[in-house]
Amino acid sequence: MKSTKLFCSFGALAMTLGLVAAGVPPATPGVRLTADTTALVMGGTSLPTPTPWYMDMARNQFIAPTHPGLDIDYVPVTTPEEHGPLTGIDRLILTVFASPKLVNGAWSGVPLWKLSGLFDRNADQSVHDGVTDLEQAIAEHAGSPQVIFGYSQGAAVAVAEKRKLAQKYPVGTPAPAIDFVLLGDPSVPNGGLNSRFPGLHTYFLLGTFTKAEPTDTQFKTTVVSRQYDMATDFPLYPLNLVADLNAVMGFLYLHTHYNDVSLAGSASSGAQVQTHGDSTYYFFPTKHLPLFDPLRSIGVPEALIDLVEPTFRAIVEAGYDRSIPLWKPTAARLFPPLNFGKKAATPAPIAGSPVAAAATGKTAKQSTAPVKPLAAAASPAAGHSKPPKAADHAAKPPKGTHT
C-alpha cells in the first residue's frame, strides 16, 4: 500500500474544454436565482454518476451555503468522466487516497474490462461529450433557474459550458439564470493547470490544456480551490522541482479530499476570498506540505517532520508568487525575478488576504461574515492535507497570517 501511494501520481486530470451551445430560454439580464431552482450535479474523473453521498456533499457543503433560502431540486447528471487509457489509474488513485465514501458504489455493476480504462474515451473527447450531456440536462430543466456543479473534470465540463453561454449571451443581453459552483477547477486563472500551460497538448496523459476561465460574463461563479492541489495551485515556476513534487502529492492528498473543506457556517472560517467580475474564489490554505504526507502515512512522528518542513515550505513557496490574485490569468514562467542585494524574505502573502491588504494599504475583498450567495464575499476557511482523519484537515494559521 505504501509503495502504491508513492507510485500513483498523475492520472486523474482530464482538463480540456469542449464547447456546445446551450438550449435554454433567456431571462432578463441580472435576474438572480429564486425558488424552484434546479442544481445539476456532475462528478469528477472516473465518477460518471454522482452517488447519494456525493450529492449530499455537494448540497450541504457548497451549493446550499451559496444559495441560502432557495427551494432547490438536486439532479445528478451522468457524464463520461473518462481519461482513457489511464482511467484505471484514476480509479486506483481514488481507491487508495480518497475518502471511501467518495468511491463507495461509484463503480457498481461496471465490468472489469471497463474498469481498466484501456478502452475509454481520451480526456479531450470525454469533456466534449460531457458538455453534450450537460447541455441535454440544461434543456430538460429549462423552466427553472439552474446551478451547475462540477468537480475536477466535471468542473472542466462546466467551464466549457460557461464559455459557450458567454459567447451566446454577451453581457447586457437577455440570458438564462444559471450559476456555477466549481471544485478542483483546473482553469483557475492563477494556478490552474489549464492556465499555467495554455494550449499545451499532452495527448493521452492529461489531454489538451485550454486556458484560464472567463470572469467577465453574466453567469455568477463560485470556485473552491486548495493550496498545493496540483490541479488548481500548480507552481508558477515549474523548474522548482520540489514545488512540483509537492503539487503532485497535493493532487493525491488534497484534490481527492474536497469533502474536507466546506462553505457552510464556521467551516469556511479560514478560506481566503477574492471576488472579480462574475467570480468569487475561495482558496483554502494548507497547514502542512503534502510533500511529507507519505511519511505521515507510515507513522513518522510529526516532531521529526517539523524539523525540516519549514525549510522545505520556503523552497516550495519560492515556486509561487502569492502577490498575484487568483483571478488574473498567469502562465508558467521559467525563473522568478532576481533581487540582488536584497535580504531574503518570507513568501509574499496571498493576494486578497488580510496580510496582503495590510502590506499594500488596500482593503482585501473578504470579510468575517457568514458565507453569502455567490459574488458576495464570504468568511474564509482553512484546511491541510494531514491524513488520514478528516478532522485533521482543519488548519489554524497564526492570527493575522496566511500560509
Side-chain angles (χ1 to χ4, degrees), residues 238-272:
L239 293 182
N240 185 329
L241 299 183
V242 176
D244 295 344
L245 180 59
N246 183 69
V248 171
M249 292 297 104
F251 178 75
L252 300 179
Y253 288 96
L254 298 171
H255 188 76
T256 58
H257 278 274
Y258 271 84
N259 55 292
D260 287 345
V261 298
S262 174
L263 300 182
S266 61
S268 64
S269 61
Q272 297 168 5

Side-chain angles (χ1 to χ4, degrees), residues 80-401:
E81 305 297 340
E82 294 178 349
H83 181 202
L86 303 179
T87 318
I89 296 178
D90 301 332
R91 293 189 175 99
L92 178 61
I93 289 174
L94 290 178
T95 300
V96 174
F97 295 95
S99 167
K101 296 179 180 179
L102 180 63
V103 299
N104 184 30
W107 309 310
S108 298
V110 178
L112 184 60
W113 67 267
K114 180 67 174 176
L115 284 175
S116 71
L118 295 175
F119 306 99
D120 284 354
R121 283 163 279 208
N122 62 31
D124 292 354
Q125 188 62 49
S126 177
V127 174
H128 179 274
D129 293 349
V131 173
T132 301
D133 293 332
L134 174 60
E135 183 73 21
Q136 180 178 350
I138 291 174
E140 290 174 354
H141 299 85
S144 67
Q146 297 169 352
V147 181
I148 296 175
F149 177 93
Y151 156 61
S152 193
Q153 185 179 138
V157 172
V159 171
E161 182 64 25
K162 180 181 177 181
R163 289 189 195 280
K164 188 57 181 180
L165 289 170
Q167 292 177 355
K168 190 173 184 179
Y169 305 106
V171 174
T173 64
I178 294 179
D179 290 347
F180 294 85
V181 178
L182 311 176
L183 309 184
D185 173 17
S187 296
V188 173
N190 178 24
L193 280 172
N194 284 336
S195 310
R196 288 287 191 247
F197 307 100
L200 176 65
H201 296 276
T202 64
Y203 302 98
F204 69 88
L205 185 60
L206 295 176
T208 303
F209 295 158
T210 52
K211 59 183 178 180
E213 63 202 12
T215 58
D216 57 352
T217 77
Q218 51 186 327
F219 302 100
K220 298 298 182 182
T221 304
T222 297
V223 182
V224 179
S225 61
R226 304 190 67 178
Q227 186 179 21
Y228 305 136
D229 170 12
M230 183 180 75
T232 65
D233 189 37
F234 194 81
L236 177 61
Y237 306 106
L239 293 182
N240 185 329
L241 299 183
V242 176
D244 295 344
L245 180 59
N246 183 69
V248 171
M249 292 297 104
F251 178 75
L252 300 179
Y253 288 96
L254 298 171
H255 188 76
T256 58
H257 278 274
Y258 271 84
N259 55 292
D260 287 345
V261 298
S262 174
L263 300 182
S266 61
S268 64
S269 61
Q272 297 168 5
V273 184
Q274 300 177 28
T275 299
H276 180 78
D278 62 39
S279 298
T280 297
Y281 292 90
Y282 294 85
F283 182 86
F284 284 79
T286 298
K287 181 178 180 181
H288 292 294
L289 292 178
L291 183 67
F292 293 105
D293 280 350
L295 298 181
R296 295 184 176 98
S297 297
I298 62 176
V300 174
E302 194 67 36
L304 293 181
I305 297 176
D306 288 344
L307 294 176
V308 296
E309 188 170 26
T311 299
F312 276 87
R313 181 177 286 273
I315 296 172
V316 166
E317 282 298 313
Y320 297 87
D321 183 347
R322 299 299 187 186
S323 68
I324 303 174
L326 295 172
W327 48 262
K328 183 176 182 179
T330 308
R333 303 170 183 174
L334 288 179
F335 304 104
L338 299 178
N339 298 312
F340 292 107
K342 292 186 178 181
K343 183 179 179 180
T346 56
I350 297 172
S353 69
V355 178
T360 61
K362 298 180 180 179
T363 302
K365 293 185 178 180
Q366 71 175 31
S367 72
T368 57
V371 174
K372 298 180 180 180
L374 296 173
S379 87
H384 75 80
S385 63
K386 184 179 178 181
K389 297 181 180 179
D392 288 340
H393 286 71
K396 297 180 180 179
K399 185 176 180 181
T401 64

